[in-house]
Amino acid sequence: MSDKPYHHGDLRRALVEAGLGILEESGLEALTLRACAARAGVSHAAPRNHFDGLTGLLAAITAEGFRRHEAALRAGIAAAPEAPQLGALRGYVAFAQANPALFKLMFGAKKLHDDPELSEAANGSLAVLAGIAEGLDWPGAGDREAAMAMLWALAHGVADLTVNNSLRACTRPDGTLPGLAEIYPGYKSKKGAPGAPS
Amino acid sequence: MSDKPYHHGDLRRALVEAGLGILEESGLEALTLRACAARAGVSHAAPRNHFDGLTGLLAAITAEGFRRHEAALRAGIAAAPEAPQLGALRGYVAFAQANPALFKLMFGAKKLHDDPELSEAANGSLAVLAGIAEGLDWPGAGDREAAMAMLWALAHGVADLTVNNSLRACTRPDGTLPGLAEIYPGYKSKKGAPGAPS
DNA sequence: CGCAGCATGTTTCCACCGTAAACATATGGA
DNA sequence: TCCATATGTTTACGGTGGAAACATGCTGCG
């Protein structure tokens, strides 16, 4: 019932892609139920057959965002095998900079529908960070949760402040952020701490 | 012209306070131009005489938020004279937890009116962090901007993820966040690095 | 003193939004 | 064949921000 379209041809997926396109082209403020429906070529009431109102559609878009977010984390880790934590941080920030509107939606203020698809996607990104933190031997950070919290918070803080242009005062003329490369002075990666579990 | 009210009695301030009250009581989604006007006892078109539409009102509310944010930073610093950076971080997070809706507005996705009052208030908080970073001798963080960016990003990341309940998986049963106290393993505070300049 | 001008606030209207219900249409199985 | 149901449309409603016309009261100048 979800991959065998009747009238339109997988309208559910079309609506999510329409939302992602609107986010890229026009930003978060333009992300409207009616706009998504129009871009998908259907009436504004059609989405109700596939999502629980606007919040349901936003939850589906956000879930796709977390899947891409997880991919960005893995890409960053793969690009820096000798320092996976730093690579994950770079991937985290790169994703936010490449998809600012989507990032704002994912971590924005709006309360989304409690969707199992969304939970699973978000947990995917979390699992990547958890796997990375496993190999992080931060001086003073005792347990795994502490290391993960510190890593996540640092990455998210840089990403969010960058998206909101709040770190503008700290960025160098070439656009890079000072301290990002030196941000893990005391880490040393243990062997056997690959990309992530799951 | 701004402190000598004609009809209402400082409606501008009343509207900002109404907005802050709505944020506290009902959250960010309830923060509406019409709701603020109603709470201040005027028609929904009255705010237009004092603000440039909704974004102008939100900018004024956000400016007041940054003033309180700066006060929270200073309070956190004063509470930990031996470790001002850690104190500022605690103040940053405490403010976000005490005023989640206001924090979301301040660092949320909505593009606010470019207001000199808002810029000044935001720069006030920034100056506090800059003054703290001056005294931060983080191993590997070369210049002042780097230290400030790291400090700010870490504080903001913890605060934002806490507000969005995203760090729920990392919080201890008693509600504290692991790693927060041990988060500055290598810092040592220099003498003569007080609360902040300005 | 009195009136003109302007700051302030209200009323009314408009376009857009999300939601809901009634209605239309196409699909697939009995 | 024919009906139950999934899918999509039309229409309507309340709520939002914004704009214009109108009303009200202060303030300063003659």
Side-chain angles (χ1 to χ4, degrees):
Chain A
M1 91 175 43
S2 101
D3 50 83
K4 296 279 270 183
Y6 289 69
H7 291 51
H8 175 279
D10 213 350
L11 178 58
R12 181 184 173 96
R13 178 170 304 272
L15 286 169
V16 172
E17 288 179 358
L20 291 167
I22 291 172
L23 279 179
E24 271 186 44
E25 297 173 8
S26 311
L28 183 55
E29 300 188 358
L31 184 61
T32 282
L33 190 148
R34 287 167 119 103
C36 291
R39 183 183 255 244
V42 296
S43 74
H44 72 275
R48 212 131 232 287
N49 290 316
H50 300 272
F51 302 99
D52 183 11
L54 172 64
T55 59
L57 174 55
L58 295 184
I61 297 172
T62 303
E64 177 60 24
F66 271 109
R67 282 184 220 108
R68 301 184 181 187
H69 184 249
E70 178 183 347
L73 291 182
R74 295 188 188 278
I77 292 168
E82 78 292 347
Q85 294 86 15
L86 182 54
L89 202 158
R90 286 187 183 131
Y92 201 113
V93 176
F95 173 83
Q97 289 178 337
N99 313 280
L102 181 55
F103 183 84
K104 288 177 191 170
L105 173 64
M106 291 163 58
F107 295 100
K110 286 190 178 177
K111 207 173 85 175
L112 299 178
H113 201 68
D114 201 358
D115 192 306
E117 179 197 6
L118 173 55
S119 300
E120 181 186 341
N123 286 339
S125 287
L126 180 58
V128 173
L129 289 176
I132 286 297
E134 198 80 60
L136 178 65
D137 189 16
W138 206 324
D143 45 0
R144 192 181 69 90
E145 283 80 10
M148 182 166 78
M150 292 163 67
L151 176 63
W152 192 3
L154 192 51
H156 184 77
V158 173
D160 196 36
L161 291 176
T162 298
V163 166
N164 287 3
N165 253 353
S166 299
L167 272 180
R168 193 174 355 101
C170 301
T171 50
R172 297 200 187 92
D174 62 352
T176 63
L177 197 64
L180 195 54
E182 309 87 350
I183 218 159
Y184 291 127
Y187 92 91
K188 41 180 181 179
S189 74
K190 289 176 179 172
K191 66 189 174 191
S198 166
Chain B
M1 92 175 41
S2 96
D3 50 83
K4 296 278 271 185
Y6 290 69
H7 291 49
H8 175 278
D10 212 351
L11 177 59
R12 182 183 171 95
R13 178 168 305 274
L15 285 169
V16 173
E17 287 179 359
L20 291 168
I22 290 172
L23 280 177
E24 271 186 44
E25 298 173 7
S26 310
L28 183 55
E29 300 187 357
L31 185 60
T32 284
L33 190 149
R34 286 168 119 101
C36 291
R39 183 183 256 244
V42 296
S43 73
H44 74 276
R48 214 133 229 285
N49 291 315
H50 300 272
F51 303 99
D52 184 11
L54 173 64
T55 59
L57 174 56
L58 295 184
I61 298 173
T62 303
E64 176 61 23
F66 270 109
R67 284 186 219 105
R68 300 185 181 185
H69 184 250
E70 178 182 347
L73 291 181
R74 295 189 187 279
I77 292 168
E82 79 292 345
Q85 294 86 14
L86 182 55
L89 203 158
R90 286 186 182 133
Y92 201 114
V93 177
F95 173 84
Q97 290 178 334
N99 312 281
L102 181 55
F103 183 84
K104 288 177 191 170
L105 173 64
M106 291 163 56
F107 295 99
K110 286 191 179 176
K111 205 171 88 176
L112 299 177
H113 200 70
D114 200 358
D115 192 306
E117 179 197 5
L118 173 55
S119 299
E120 181 186 340
N123 286 339
S125 288
L126 179 58
V128 173
L129 289 175
I132 287 296
E134 200 79 59
L136 179 65
D137 188 17
W138 205 324
D143 44 0
R144 193 181 68 91
E145 284 79 10
M148 183 165 77
M150 292 164 67
L151 176 62
W152 193 0
L154 192 51
H156 184 77
V158 173
D160 196 38
L161 291 176
T162 299
V163 165
N164 287 2
N165 253 355
S166 298
L167 273 179
R168 193 174 356 99
C170 301
T171 51
R172 297 200 187 93
D174 61 353
T176 62
L177 198 64
L180 193 55
E182 309 88 349
I183 219 161
Y184 292 127
Y187 93 91
K188 41 181 179 179
S189 74
K190 290 176 181 173
K191 67 190 173 189
S198 167

